[in-house]
Amino acid sequence: IYDWTSGFHPGSMWNLYGLTKNEDWKNKAIQYTELLDTLQYWEGTHDLGFMIGDSYGNALKYWDNDDYKKVMVQAAKSLSARFKPKAGIIQSWESNDRWKCPVIIDNMMNLEMLFEATKISGDSTFYNIAVTHANTTIKNHFRDDYSSYHLLDYDPETGNILKRNTAQGYKDESAWARGQAWGLYGFTVMFRETKETIYLNQANHIADFIINHKNLPEDKVPYWDYDAPVTKETPRDASAAAITASALYELSLYVDGDLKELYLTSANTIIETLSNEPYLAEVGTNEGFLLKHSTGHLPMDSEIDVPLNYADYYFLEALLRQRNMIK
Ligand code: GLY
């Protein structure tokens, strides 16, 4: 349960319950969600927003459960223990030989749980931490073209930036595909929760970077890094595509005219692509996963061109959002 991806399996079951309203999925979702119970106290990772937010938090969309609300608030407290007020960021990973206080763009995805915890508890501390982290990220994490670095190393006492690196991307100065998707999704949530235009603008700029990138294939499933040299062997990342589609459906709600049309068309193209060969697996293959062709951590030679549970999670979420919008 301590892997950053542990919330996605129960989360996918909640998404399936949302799609089908079949109680069997709800019962399974409850069973798998509650296996994560002890994570709420864990202060050792920034990933609690994924782990608890996508399981317990997702459940709360369908089920008014006071115990689950308590788990969300406790998890928000644990996540807040990683906040470094002088630097204005939540620390992602523990310090190590290379980095003192690393913060990755993925961390934008953990803020939604903080907003929910404030709504549940009335304690604005969580909300304020989320806003501070997002503002610091806008200030430091983006390049002029609105692509983001994967990792910034901070001095937690001064907020000075010690390094700008990548861990999972092609190189320090490249745009790792899933990182761009996390940023897009994260700033879309920021706008939803605060209604501050600065976050809408940021999300629109990131969307522009992704949708108009010269290396984005016509089917709109990116290679694993927007700057990776493209050959026949370059792996795609279906997870980045699924996250992007889900984010674009939501972002389309906040804009009008041509931009709305562009976001909907782009998201629909991604979903159409992922719903067919070569991405959608036949039942009984692909070790039970829905999607093929995601890339987890290429520089470590890990999870290349494989199914990944978060690709399935965001694909299902995107299908839910698409269906709700059509309704
Ligand atoms: N948050 C870790 C990853 O996207 O691989």
Side-chain angles (χ1 to χ4, degrees), residues 4 50 106 168 176 178 182 296 310:
W4 76 275
F50 284 116
D106 319 28
Q168 281 160 268
W176 174 50
R178 197 161 53 256
W182 291 144
Y310 41 98

Side-chain angles (χ1 to χ4, degrees), residues 185-240:
Y185 195 117
F187 281 102
T188 302
V189 170
M190 285 304 300
F191 179 69
R192 180 214 303 156
E193 299 298 337
T194 66
K195 296 288 174 279
E196 293 289 346
T197 317
I198 181 178
Y199 305 125
L200 180 61
N201 291 343
Q202 193 72 12
N204 283 332
H205 283 307
I206 301 168
D208 179 53
F209 175 86
I210 292 173
I211 293 170
N212 296 313
H213 200 283
K214 65 178 175 30
N215 288 348
L216 181 67
E218 213 147 280
D219 65 13
K220 303 235 186 296
V221 177
Y223 295 100
W224 69 285
D225 188 304
Y226 287 96
D227 295 300
V230 176
T231 69
K232 273 201 213 114
E233 275 76 49
T234 308
R236 304 282 193 104
D237 183 11
S239 77

Side-chain angles (χ1 to χ4, degrees), residues 42-242:
W42 194 33
E43 296 179 2
T45 182
H46 73 135
D47 285 320
L48 279 187
F50 284 116
M51 298 152 93
I52 295 293
D54 294 342
S55 53
Y56 286 89
N58 224 356
L60 289 170
K61 292 179 190 159
Y62 306 106
W63 196 21
D64 188 23
N65 180 315
D66 285 341
D67 290 336
Y68 282 24
K69 288 181 187 165
K70 282 185 199 139
V71 172
M72 286 285 281
V73 174
Q74 176 54 51
K77 274 186 197 148
S78 300
L79 178 58
S80 300
R82 302 182 70 78
F83 182 60
K84 306 290 172 210
K86 290 184 190 149
I89 46 85
I90 299 167
Q91 180 165 355
S92 292
W93 302 330
E94 300 300 86
S95 315
N96 55 32
D97 291 347
R98 192 168 174 203
W99 298 304
K100 199 169 180 178
C101 179
V103 177
I104 57 175
I105 187 68
D106 319 28
N107 208 340
M108 286 300 303
M109 297 296 288
N110 295 306
L111 307 182
E112 187 171 8
M113 182 176 75
L114 297 179
F115 287 113
E116 293 306 319
T118 286
K119 283 181 224 164
I120 294 166
S121 66
D123 181 350
S124 60
T125 313
F126 308 124
Y127 183 107
N128 292 335
I129 289 176
V131 166
T132 305
H133 181 92
N135 291 346
T136 310
T137 301
I138 286 188
K139 194 167 117 218
N140 297 330
H141 229 107
F142 287 85
R143 307 184 183 95
D144 289 346
D145 63 0
Y146 292 95
S147 67
S148 53
Y149 288 90
H150 184 203
L151 184 151
L152 259 57
D153 189 23
Y154 284 91
D155 181 330
E157 293 307 317
T158 63
N160 290 341
I161 295 154
L162 307 174
K163 288 176 189 155
R164 287 186 167 90
N165 290 147
T166 194
Q168 281 160 268
Y170 172 58
K171 56 183 182 181
D172 290 344
E173 286 300 326
S174 74
W176 174 50
R178 197 161 53 256
Q180 312 316 302
W182 291 144
L184 173 68
Y185 195 117
F187 281 102
T188 302
V189 170
M190 285 304 300
F191 179 69
R192 180 214 303 156
E193 299 298 337
T194 66
K195 296 288 174 279
E196 293 289 346
T197 317
I198 181 178
Y199 305 125
L200 180 61
N201 291 343
Q202 193 72 12
N204 283 332
H205 283 307
I206 301 168
D208 179 53
F209 175 86
I210 292 173
I211 293 170
N212 296 313
H213 200 283
K214 65 178 175 30
N215 288 348
L216 181 67
E218 213 147 280
D219 65 13
K220 303 235 186 296
V221 177
Y223 295 100
W224 69 285
D225 188 304
Y226 287 96
D227 295 300
V230 176
T231 69
K232 273 201 213 114
E233 275 76 49
T234 308
R236 304 282 193 104
D237 183 11
S239 77

